[in-house]
C-alpha cells in the first residue's frame, strides 16, 4: 500500500515536471521569436546594422611587475554578429607593445590572453565600457 502511494506520487510529480518544462519551453520560444521580430523590424527600418561596432569593453590591468597603476589594457570592439577586434597594449617603463587580434563569432582567430578573453566576454554581454579584470600573474 505504501509503495503504491509513493509510485502514484512519483508519477504525478514526474508528469507535473514535464508539463512545467513544456510550458517554460513554449514561453522561451515565444520570447526568442519576439526578439527576432524586433531585430528584423529595426533592421528593415534602418535603425540597426549588425555589422556596425556596437559592443565595447576595456579591461585595464598591470601586465608587468615593473609597472603599476593598471597601465596595460585590452579593448574589445565587437559587432552584433560577434565579429571584431581586440586591441591590447602592454606598457612597461621603457617600451610599449601593441597587439591586435581578430574575433569571429565571439572567438579569437588566434589564442587570446585571459585579459583579452575577459574584454570580449564583457563586450558581448554588454558589461562595458570599462570592466574589472582579475589580476593576472605578473611576469
Amino acid at each position: 500500500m505504501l509503495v503504491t502511494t509513493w509510485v502514484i506520487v512519483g508519477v504525478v510529480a514526474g508528469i507535473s515536471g514535464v508539463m512545467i518544462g513544456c510550458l517554460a519551453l513554449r514561453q522561451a520560444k515565444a520570447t526568442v521569436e519576439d526578439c527576432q521580430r524586433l531585430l528584423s523590424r529595426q533592421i528593415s527600418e534602418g535603425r540597426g546594422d549588425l555589422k556596425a561596432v556596437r559592443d565595447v569593453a576595456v579591461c585595464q590591468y598591470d601586465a608587468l611587475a615593473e609597472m603599476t597603476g593598471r597601465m596595460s589594457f585590452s579593448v574589445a570592439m565587437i559587432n552584433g554578429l560577434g565579429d571584431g577586434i581586440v586591441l591590447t597594449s602592454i606598457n612597461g617603463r621603457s617600451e610599449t607593445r601593441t597587439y591586435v587580434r581578430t574575433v569571429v563569432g565571439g572567438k579569437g582567430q588566434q589564442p587570446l590572453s585571459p585579459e583579452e578573453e575577459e574584454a570580449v566576454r564583457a563586450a558581448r554581454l554588454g558589461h562595458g565600457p570599462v570592466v574589472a579584470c582579475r589580476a593576472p600573474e605578473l611576469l
Side-chain angles (χ1 to χ4, degrees):
M1 177 71 170
L2 185 61
V3 172
T4 305
T5 304
W6 281 110
V7 167
I8 292 171
V9 168
V11 169
V12 169
I15 291 172
S16 299
V18 169
M19 289 174 53
I20 290 170
C22 288
L23 291 173
L25 179 62
R26 185 178 301 154
Q27 185 176 9
K29 285 182 179 180
T31 302
V32 167
E33 290 171 1
D34 288 344
C35 290
Q36 288 173 335
R37 275 192 300 257
L38 177 63
L39 185 59
S40 65
R41 187 177 67 217
Q42 286 180 345
I43 290 172
S44 68
E45 293 174 358
R47 294 191 315 175
D49 181 3
L50 290 178
K51 293 185 178 182
V53 172
R54 67 176 201 172
D55 299 316
V56 176
V58 178
C59 179
Q60 295 176 307
Y61 52 96
D62 292 326
L64 304 172
E66 66 184 41
M67 287 291 293
T68 60
R70 302 171 67 95
M71 299 303 292
S72 297
F73 62 88
S74 293
V75 179
M77 294 177 273
I78 309 294
N79 66 17
L81 301 172
D83 302 338
I85 64 168
V86 180
L87 179 67
T88 297
S89 179
I90 306 296
N91 297 302
R93 287 200 191 281
S94 61
E95 67 179 327
T96 297
R97 295 183 183 193
T98 305
Y99 306 92
V100 67
R101 298 202 173 126
T102 57
V103 176
V104 176
K107 304 283 185 194
Q109 291 291 82
Q110 303 91 15
L112 300 178
S113 72
E115 296 80 21
E116 291 170 329
E117 288 179 2
E118 184 69 28
V120 170
R121 181 174 32 258
R124 293 291 310 253
L125 294 174
H127 292 164
V130 178
V131 297
C133 281
R134 53 192 152 80
E137 293 183 24
L138 299 176
L139 299 175

